[in-house]
Structure formats: structure tokens, C-alpha cells
Amino acid sequence: MSRTSSAKYFLRGSSGVASSTTIGVRDFLILGCQKVIGHYERLLRTANSEQERQLYQARIEREQGMINDLRQGALTERLAA
């Protein structure tokens, strides 16, 4: 079984047409973390209690930490195992 270091990712451009782009796994994971952060930021804006706000803020910080680790290469070896 071979492992690839790139992933095919479909991007929708300003024209609305999907185009296929090959990006590295690290970049793909960073994009995923950024997307998750966006979801939590929306939830944070509509949180009904302080407990919810703290939960969403902690999850945002965790995802930001993962992005920092990915950019520094710390998670690459762990994920490859």
C-alpha cells in the first residue's frame, strides 16, 4: 500500500466552475482546520450561554494550535504513522 503526499482537492473559483488542484496533505489539513474554525466562529457568535462561548473558544484555540503544529511540521510524522 503506498502513501501519497498530495491530495486532489476541488476548488470553486469566482466563476462558479469547480477546478481540480493537487495540494499537499499538510495544506489540505490546514484548509480543513480553517474551515472548522469558521464553523466554530459562527457558533460562537450565536452562543446562548457563557459555557457555550468557552467551549467554542477552546475548540477554536485547539484548531489554531493544530494549524501552528502543521506549519511547523510537528504533526506530519505523527499523522504518517
Side-chain angles (χ1 to χ4, degrees):
M1 196 180 321
S2 68
R3 294 177 193 230
T4 57
S5 61
S6 63
K8 192 158 266 199
Y9 189 70
F10 291 94
L11 301 172
R12 197 166 294 277
S14 59
S15 65
V17 176
S19 63
S20 173
T21 303
T22 302
I23 62 172
V25 172
R26 182 182 308 171
D27 292 335
F28 183 76
L29 292 172
I30 289 171
L31 285 173
C33 288
Q34 291 170 336
K35 185 174 181 179
V36 169
I37 288 171
H39 289 295
Y40 281 127
E41 286 173 339
R42 281 190 292 283
L43 289 170
L44 183 61
R45 285 193 297 269
T46 61
N48 293 322
S49 68
E50 185 59 31
Q51 184 179 8
E52 273 186 289
R53 283 183 202 83
Q54 290 175 358
L55 175 68
Y56 298 143
Q57 188 60 46
R59 291 183 179 180
I60 289 169
E61 290 169 6
R62 182 183 64 194
E63 292 293 325
Q64 288 171 334
M66 288 181 65
I67 289 173
N68 291 338
D69 289 345
L70 284 164
R71 287 189 174 140
Q72 295 172 1
L75 291 179
T76 308
E77 292 80 28
R78 223 182 316 158
L79 292 172

